[in-house]
């Protein structure tokens, strides 16, 4: 089975980090990913990773661009194909 991870990363406008996070978490996707995880980072960045069964060039649904008043720039998007899983998922190994 091929697994593809989609990465969606945005940087919030000044003071808009909580709003961007709430917006990203509220966005539905067409279909159900194997997994969806949301992260925050310095500089009010929000990262959403979704895991899908299938090749990177398959039509996996992506989160849209957020409203312009929430962000400082266009969203960064990447697709990654898994080449293996290590560790037990709890230790970070």
């Amino acid at each position: 089975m091929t697994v593809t991870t989609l990465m969606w990363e945005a940087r919030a406008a000044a003071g808009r980090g909580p709003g961007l996070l709430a917006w990203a978490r509220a966005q539905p996707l067409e279909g159900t990913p194997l997994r969806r995880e949301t992260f925050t980072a310095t500089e009010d960045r929000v990262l959403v990773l979704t895991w899908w069964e299938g090749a990177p060039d398959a039509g996996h649904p992506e989160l849209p661009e957020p409203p312009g008043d929430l962000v400082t720039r266009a969203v960064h998007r990447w697709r990654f194909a898994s080449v293996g899983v290590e560790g037990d998922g709890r230790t970070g190994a």
Side-chain angles (χ1 to χ4, degrees), residues 2-40:
T2 300
V3 174
T4 296
T5 302
L6 276 58
M7 182 207 84
W8 180 100
E9 183 269 340
R11 184 172 177 194
R16 301 303 310 265
L20 177 61
L21 176 61
W23 181 90
R25 294 183 80 186
Q27 297 308 300
L29 291 168
E30 290 183 30
T32 303
L34 299 171
R35 179 177 170 180
R36 177 176 174 163
E37 194 166 350
T38 304
F39 300 84
T40 58

Side-chain angles (χ1 to χ4, degrees), residues 4 22-23 39 42 46-47 54-55 57 59 64 74-75 83 86 90-91:
T4 296
W23 181 90
F39 300 84
T42 59
V46 174
L47 173 70
D57 59 354
V75 168
V83 295
E86 299 173 16
R90 294 177 290 173
T91 63

